Amino acid sequence: PPTTFTSAVKSRGSCASISDSLGNLLFYYSYDPTAILTGQNPFNGGEVYTSTHQLMQNGDLLVSGAWYNEGLIIPKPLDPNKYILFNIGVTGNFGLYYSEIDLSLNGGSGAVTQKNVQLLSNKANDGLTAVKHGNGRDWWVFFRESTTSSNANNVFYKYLVSPQGISGPYTQSIGTLTSINSYRYFFSKDGSKLGAVGYRGLIETYDLDRCNGLLSNYKSIKSDVIVAPVPGVWSGAFSPDGTKLYVATSYDDSYLWQFNLLDSLPQNTVDTLANFNFSIPAGGALKLAPDNKIYWSCAWNDGVTFNYPYPDTTYNMFNMNLSVINSPDSLGAACNFQPYSFYLGGNRTYWGLPNNPNYELGPLTGSICDTLTVGLTEIANYNNNITVYYDADWQIAFLNAKGLKGKNYNLQLYNLNGQLLLHEKGKLTSDYFTEDLNLLGYAKGLYIVRLITEKEVLTAKFVVE
């Protein structure tokens, strides 16, 4: 269950945290606004804090710039003591960076052992996020490039985090052309959908293949309730079952909307759950939590002075509580939205909530990449009608399939990371198919074969030793 405590977080938005499997805090990341509030360089204000709220050794001066989803913590696969902190540069120190944290150091308090390693120099927008690979161990890290309005793009950048390290970037062009900095992403609980919202009114959904990181089935949700040109669309979250989409705005009025994704035209199903009438942007981040409730932050303002940082005397029901959608799988009023109902233990909130991915997500059962190991070189088949035998001396995988239905075939070979290594198409001359796959020079490990016809998909696994 959610807990509250007094932390070292000073940010108006950008933060991320991670705990162990029992919910015990390990460490967290936040932006320190001191530089930006004193007129200094604001683009290296990220800091890492220990579980006792002290600055971690070497945990200062990380790439960060007072945004909201610019930091993200990923456990390093197969290394229980190490973690990777990703950061993006939106308005300065452009690009994608990572730092490595080792919690085995300093008696378990940890230390940052590598810092601000640049992976890409492209200007990013404020939307760093991640989702588990279909094998339940590795991670896909997503972000998008931010460009000028005359050079709008729809390119997603993706990196794969595996025991072999960080690989990429892999790119894919899909969705709406955009150039805005405030363009944020969030995954459904099962990782099958990606949602994206943009400040000027973009609301989008995509399907995701967790095995290869590819997005598909792009949909743009355009509704009459979204008032152009600057509606201030700020944040979004899927319901736990993935059938409802919640979107929050942060402008002169702050709205909370619900869309029914089961409808062929979800924009026609919009239900306004709340409208906060504050003088300047108030509504903040939406976040689906592990308790299957959605939380909404709020940055209160008196209508006279800018509210960051809050004056020491500014404590009220608006900034000392989060609003909660208690039953987000339900439509309309049945979702049980309760404004300002989760007390923060005497602390205050601004526009942000921790940018945490779903650490509890497991493997994609039944997919081509749901298994990390098999016992022997012998085949681990999904289908009795397909067999693969790998001969280490010949370095050839002998594939045989029988009882095939269809007239055409599509043969695919994947490695464990979901990367397509071989793709062959042709016509079937009988219901029997055989192929010798030359694997000379292929790395040791698990491989997946898919044989696809118009009527069926046959899948088999084998190990190169």
Side-chain angles (χ1 to χ4, degrees):
T3 59
T4 61
F5 51 84
T6 300
S7 72
V9 172
K10 308 169 188 175
S11 173
R12 63 181 180 177
S14 184
C15 59
S17 61
I18 191 167
S19 68
D20 63 18
S21 60
L22 299 177
N24 300 306
L25 181 67
L26 294 175
F27 67 92
Y28 57 100
Y29 151 86
S30 178
Y31 177 80
D32 185 343
T34 301
I36 197 170
L37 293 174
T38 56
Q40 303 175 52
N41 180 359
F43 303 126
N44 281 77
E47 295 179 340
V48 177
Y49 295 91
T50 68
S51 60
T52 58
H53 317 298
Q54 305 299 312
L55 184 67
M56 187 177 286
Q57 180 183 333
N58 198 32
D60 60 346
L61 300 177
L62 299 172
V63 169
S64 241
W67 285 82
Y68 299 91
N69 291 323
E70 59 189 339
L72 183 78
I73 300 167
I74 298 297
K76 192 171 184 179
L78 297 187
D79 195 331
N81 292 314
K82 293 183 180 179
Y83 299 81
I84 301 172
L85 171 66
F86 288 92
N87 292 90
I88 49 174
V90 181
T91 45
N93 293 339
F94 298 149
L96 179 68
Y97 298 77
Y98 76 91
S99 302
E100 191 164 300
I101 293 104
D102 188 342
L103 283 189
S104 69
L105 303 177
N106 295 322
S109 294
V112 177
T113 55
Q114 280 188 300
K115 186 160 61 177
N116 294 337
V117 180
Q118 190 176 48
L119 291 168
L120 201 68
S121 60
N122 303 54
K123 181 179 180 181
N125 56 34
D126 184 29
L128 186 62
T129 191
V131 66
K132 279 273 189 75
H133 186 282
N135 62 27
R137 180 196 65 190
D138 304 337
W139 289 86
W140 293 106
V141 176
F142 281 71
F143 82 101
R144 279 189 62 166
E145 184 179 8
S146 179
T147 58
T148 62
S149 58
S150 61
N151 192 30
N153 74 79
N154 61 352
V155 180
F156 282 88
Y157 288 83
K158 293 167 279 188
Y159 282 83
L160 180 64
V161 183
S162 71
Q164 288 71 46
I166 303 171
S167 58
Y170 309 104
T171 60
Q172 182 182 4
S173 297
I174 186 174
T176 303
L177 295 172
T178 183
S179 61
I180 56 178
N181 288 334
S182 178
Y183 185 78
R184 302 190 177 99
Y185 330 105
F186 46 94
F187 286 100
S188 59
K189 184 176 181 178
D190 66 359
S192 66
K193 294 182 182 296
L194 174 71
V197 297
Y199 197 69
R200 299 182 192 140
L202 292 176
I203 302 175
E204 306 168 318
T205 63
Y206 304 80
D207 291 341
L208 173 71
D209 185 331
R210 287 168 52 201
C211 289
N212 55 29
L214 291 178
L215 298 168
S216 62
N217 195 26
Y218 156 68
K219 294 181 180 178
S220 177
I221 299 175
K222 299 183 181 298
S223 176
D224 291 340
V225 302
I226 304 173
V227 181
V230 185
V233 176
W234 186 262
S235 184
F238 289 104
S239 61
D241 66 3
T243 64
K244 315 297 184 301
L245 174 65
Y246 293 86
V247 175
T249 73
S250 189
Y251 200 54
D252 290 340
D253 288 348
S254 293
Y255 290 93
L256 177 62
W257 297 320
Q258 181 198 69
F259 297 90
N260 183 5
L261 298 180
L262 294 178
D263 194 284
S264 59
L265 294 173
Q267 57 265 33
N268 294 339
T269 70
V270 62
D271 194 334
T272 301
L273 303 176
N275 178 15
F276 296 161
N277 301 108
F278 290 163
S279 300
I280 69 165
L286 288 169
K287 189 71 178 179
L288 175 64
D291 63 356
N292 286 330
K293 297 180 181 181
I294 294 176
Y295 293 81
W296 189 19
S297 64
C298 177
W300 182 83
N301 183 263
D302 61 8
V304 179
T305 58
F306 187 64
N307 61 350
Y308 186 75
Y310 286 132
D312 291 340
T313 57
T314 303
Y315 286 82
N316 54 48
M317 66 170 287
F318 306 106
N319 63 24
M320 295 174 68
N321 293 276
L322 300 178
S323 299
V324 185
I325 305 170
N326 290 283
S327 303
D329 285 337
S330 300
L331 282 171
C335 75
N336 190 18
F337 171 69
Q338 297 295 328
Y340 312 115
S341 58
F342 183 80
Y343 181 57
L344 292 172
N347 299 293
R348 297 176 291 185
T349 179
Y350 282 96
W351 286 284
L353 288 173
N355 185 29
N356 295 352
N358 182 5
Y359 295 113
E360 299 177 341
L361 186 59
L364 185 58
T365 303
S367 72
I368 62 169
C369 61
D370 68 343
T371 304
L372 289 168
T373 59
V374 294
L376 300 169
T377 307
E378 284 82 14
I379 304 87
N381 292 315
Y382 283 126
N383 311 92
N384 293 328
N385 285 351
I386 184 171
T387 60
V388 180
Y389 173 74
Y390 174 71
D391 188 296
D393 293 330
W394 290 84
Q395 297 187 57
I396 291 176
F398 299 95
L399 182 152
N400 293 281
K402 62 182 179 180
L404 295 178
K405 303 171 184 177
K407 297 180 179 180
N408 302 286
Y409 75 89
N410 189 328
L411 179 65
Q412 301 171 345
L413 176 67
Y414 292 86
N415 64 14
L416 185 57
N417 293 327
Q419 295 171 311
L420 183 63
L421 305 176
L422 180 148
H423 191 188
E424 175 187 303
K425 295 182 180 180
K427 292 187 177 296
L428 292 171
T429 57
S430 71
D431 64 353
Y432 184 79
F433 178 87
T434 183
E435 182 89 11
D436 296 345
L437 304 177
N438 186 349
L439 301 179
L440 181 65
Y442 277 55
K444 294 181 180 180
L446 181 69
Y447 291 83
I448 302 100
V449 171
R450 300 179 80 196
L451 184 61
I452 305 168
T453 73
E454 303 95 314
K455 298 183 178 181
E456 60 186 338
V457 178
L458 305 182
T459 305
K461 304 175 186 179
F462 65 95
V463 172
V464 172
E465 294 184 331

